[in-house]
């Protein structure tokens, strides 16, 4: 069964990005142990889903318009669905599908593209919240960094209490703490 997984890093106080949608706070921390875990995770992923701010940050931060080969280094040949209301420039050679509307409207296409593998919801928090609202999120894996920010973009701008989240894993990865939660009560949507 295809599972929708929000796999991300967060500040200790629950921000995905700073107020300018930047992840520079994360990139200052040694990543060696966490990077190996991401590689193992992506082997199970068939398709990626992200919001336009996440897409634009990666595209611009990695200078992908001038170095499109970096896209494959990060994501491989996987199709990426980018939810946006705007017209965005496509990274040359990347398999990107820009879509509008609700995640539920595109879920069958996302599952088909995943071909029995997992769906990685890369970010951002509001898009993940839409997956929660639609009853389509299966798991949250958050790697908490030893950083706090005074303000920023929240990890998940939705109310989920202990009756909806079951802790299934907790471990240390270098300076990071990784927590894995299964969402309880998710209807079978695949």
């Amino acid at each position: 069964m295809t599972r929708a997984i929000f796999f991300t890093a967060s500040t200790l106080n629950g921000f995905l990005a700073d107020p300018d949608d930047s992840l520079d706070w994360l990139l200052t921390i040694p990543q060696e142990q966490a990077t190996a875990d991401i590689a193992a995770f992506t082997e199970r992923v068939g398709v990626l889903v992200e919001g336009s701010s996440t897409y634009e940050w990666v595209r611009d931060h990695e200078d992908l318009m001038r170095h499109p080969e970096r896209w494959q280094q990060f994501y491989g040949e996987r199709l990426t669905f980018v939810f946006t209301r705007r017209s965005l420039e496509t990274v040359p050679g990347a398999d990107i599908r820009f879509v509008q509307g609700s995640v539920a409207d595109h879920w069958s296409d996302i599952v088909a593209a995943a071909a029995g593998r997992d769906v990685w919801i890369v970010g951002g928090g509001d898009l993940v919240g839409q997956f929660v609202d639609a009853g389509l999120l299966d798991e949250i894996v958050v790697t908490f960094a030893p950083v706090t920010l005074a303000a920023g973009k929240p990890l998940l701008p939705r109310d989920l209490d202990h009756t909806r989240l079951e802790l299934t894993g907790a471990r240390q990865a270098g300076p990071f703490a990784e927590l894995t939660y299964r969402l309880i009560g998710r209807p079978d949507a695949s």
Side-chain angles (χ1 to χ4, degrees), residues 23-78:
L23 301 177
D24 289 342
W25 61 267
L26 176 62
L27 301 177
T28 63
I29 306 167
Q31 305 278 317
E32 294 79 26
Q33 290 174 302
T35 303
D37 298 330
I38 292 170
F41 169 75
T42 57
E43 288 178 17
R44 302 187 321 258
V45 171
V47 69
L48 297 95
V49 177
E50 55 193 54
S52 59
S53 293
T54 300
Y55 170 75
E56 288 179 302
W57 187 86
V58 171
R59 184 195 66 201
D60 297 345
H61 184 269
E62 296 301 326
D63 199 13
L64 295 176
M65 299 312 287
R66 289 192 323 159
H67 300 283
E69 70 281 358
R70 293 179 181 167
W71 181 270
Q72 278 70 31
Q73 292 172 355
F74 297 127
Y75 298 140
E77 299 297 324
R78 295 171 189 88

Side-chain angles (χ1 to χ4, degrees), residues 5 14 23 29 42 56 65 72 91 100 122 125 138 174 182 184:
I5 302 170
L23 301 177
I29 306 167
T42 57
E56 288 179 302
M65 299 312 287
Q72 278 70 31
V91 173
Q100 295 182 354
V122 181
D138 293 292
R182 181 180 69 85
I184 299 170

